Amino acid sequence: MIDVERLAGWLDESGLPGKGEPIEHRYVSGGAQNEIYEIRRGELHCALRIPPTTAPAARDEGIFREWRIIEALNGTDVPHTEAIAVCADPSVLGRTFYLMEFVDGWSPMNVGRGWPAPFDSDLAARAGLAYAMTEGVALLSRVDWKAKGLADLGRPDGFHERQVDRWTRYLERVKGRELPGFEVAAAWLRAHRPLDYVPGLMHGDYQFANVMYRHSAPARLAAIVDWEMGTVGDPKLDLAWMLRGWPEDTNAPEAATASYVDLTGMPSRDALVQHYSEVSGRQVDDMDYYDVLAQWKLGVVLEQGFQRAGVNEKLRAFGPMVLDLMKSAAELAETTRYGA
């Protein structure tokens, strides 16, 4: 729990609305990396994001990194939580934290496998959820990250040249079995590069789990959230990350179980890629490269979880998923005509 008295003192010193008034607070969600609280004080209504006391010390740097990104997004057309204030003084709440707009919306992660009305029964409205999510990441790719003071956020130079070596080293630290397809995909990625590379702001884990929508139809993105992996790199990798595992036929029965959300009635992958291109202004003729990289990279990331799973059934389930991802990445690498 947060120390309300200390928070009140800091809010007063920061000149935020509601000075001297009592604070209402509510725990919203959290895990090993972050906790979120809803804060109300007079006219102030916001969300407080803070690492738990058990999180590694480096998480404070990560929180400040997130803050820099959402602050940079203020004034842009990217749906996001407006940045309000940040505190890096551990004497206040023990950890670095920031305040952001409290979004009036809903998360796909809070509605189970189904969709809320009207997206549960209106497939045309449901398709809008995917278009809205695609538009959000396309708008993100257009942000002038240099003008927004984010030139030191990542290392855009040599981004693609580093990918295979970086994630191969990552796998070697946790490797406990052979992963068929890993070397095939890795060799293909080393031998190929995108047709062009225009650095831009990336979310790093762009998917339904990390967006919020406005209530009711038509589908409108309320905010992109959870910026732990945010960096400056190649934004088209965000699109590929979002579309990994997208069913070829979203009207087929398997579309309902192809993801952790029901993709039945969603637009085709090609339609979403084209929508991204139109909004972002980026060419998409080389998306096969990003698809191979996204599947291969996710396989490496999930393998770490599998190798430390123990009796954790959720992490053990990553085992066959990793094998499928590596197989898919290798097959696409071997069959794509891109770069031939």
Side-chain angles (χ1 to χ4, degrees):
M1 294 295 293
I2 57 177
D3 188 322
V4 178
E5 290 187 7
R6 287 185 178 275
L7 176 61
W10 178 78
L11 291 173
D12 288 345
E13 294 174 1
S14 301
L16 293 170
K19 184 173 183 178
E21 298 190 44
I23 294 176
E24 297 178 34
H25 67 289
R26 175 179 69 90
Y27 176 79
V28 176
S29 63
Q33 295 297 311
N34 298 290
E35 295 176 343
I36 299 177
Y37 296 84
E38 180 181 7
I39 305 294
R40 289 181 180 269
R41 194 192 199 203
E43 296 180 359
L44 179 65
H45 183 204
C46 62
L48 185 153
R49 187 167 169 91
I50 187 171
T53 56
T54 55
R59 189 66 202 109
D60 291 271
E61 296 178 11
I63 279 286
F64 193 76
R65 180 187 183 89
E66 291 179 32
W67 161 261
R68 289 186 62 199
I69 294 173
I70 66 166
E71 185 183 37
L73 292 178
N74 281 358
T76 71
D77 56 3
V78 178
H80 68 286
T81 54
E82 290 283 325
I84 296 175
V86 65
C87 177
D89 182 356
S91 70
V92 179
L93 295 182
R95 306 297 301 256
T96 296
F97 67 90
Y98 63 82
L99 303 181
M100 58 185 170
E101 169 195 10
F102 192 88
V103 176
D104 181 21
W106 60 273
S107 165
M109 298 306 292
N110 295 333
V111 295
R113 287 198 59 85
W115 297 105
F119 308 106
D120 55 344
S121 57
D122 186 340
L123 294 187
R126 184 185 300 180
L129 297 173
Y131 280 121
M133 184 165 66
T134 302
E135 183 168 314
V137 77
L139 293 173
L140 179 64
S141 76
R142 292 168 44 177
V143 171
D144 188 340
W145 48 278
K146 290 182 179 179
K148 286 292 187 175
L150 298 179
D152 63 338
L153 188 69
R155 293 191 297 152
D157 292 343
F159 177 84
H160 288 286
E161 288 76 8
R162 292 192 303 272
Q163 293 302 299
V164 175
D165 288 342
R166 176 187 178 187
W167 292 104
T168 297
R169 289 194 300 268
Y170 185 95
L171 179 64
E172 288 172 349
R173 292 197 297 267
V174 302
K175 189 174 182 180
R177 59 175 179 166
E178 292 300 316
L179 300 179
F182 174 85
E183 295 294 346
V184 172
W188 187 89
L189 289 166
R190 289 184 191 278
H192 296 79
R193 290 290 183 271
L195 293 177
D196 58 9
Y197 166 42
V198 182
L201 191 56
M202 286 181 61
H203 180 273
D205 189 18
Y206 199 72
Q207 53 177 310
F208 277 113
N210 290 327
V211 298
M212 294 182 68
Y213 291 95
R214 299 291 180 194
H215 296 292
S216 74
R220 295 161 296 160
L221 209 61
I224 301 170
V225 297
D226 294 351
W227 294 92
E228 293 99 323
M229 303 298 291
T231 190
V232 175
D234 193 328
K236 283 195 290 188
L237 184 54
D238 270 344
L239 177 64
W241 198 261
M242 169 190 137
L243 291 174
R244 65 189 189 277
W246 203 267
E248 290 188 16
D249 182 0
T250 56
N251 292 312
E254 53 266 27
T257 56
S259 174
Y260 54 85
V261 294
D262 183 358
L263 298 178
T264 303
M266 289 293 184
S268 68
R269 181 188 179 282
D270 287 347
L272 294 175
V273 169
Q274 184 58 37
H275 187 59
Y276 175 89
S277 180
E278 292 169 355
V279 176
S280 68
R282 293 171 181 258
Q283 64 80 20
V284 290
D285 293 334
D286 51 5
M287 280 306 298
D288 279 357
Y289 169 86
Y290 296 91
D291 292 337
V292 173
L293 178 57
Q295 293 182 62
W296 181 82
K297 176 181 172 181
L298 180 60
V300 174
V301 172
L302 295 185
E303 181 67 7
Q304 181 193 43
F306 174 69
Q307 290 299 331
R308 60 182 175 85
V311 296
N312 186 311
E313 290 300 321
K314 180 178 180 180
L315 295 181
R316 289 184 64 83
F318 290 167
M321 292 171 59
V322 170
L323 298 179
D324 287 343
L325 284 163
M326 289 302 174
K327 178 182 178 182
S328 178
E331 289 177 348
L332 179 57
E334 290 181 316
T335 58
T336 180
R337 298 184 62 180
Y338 167 66

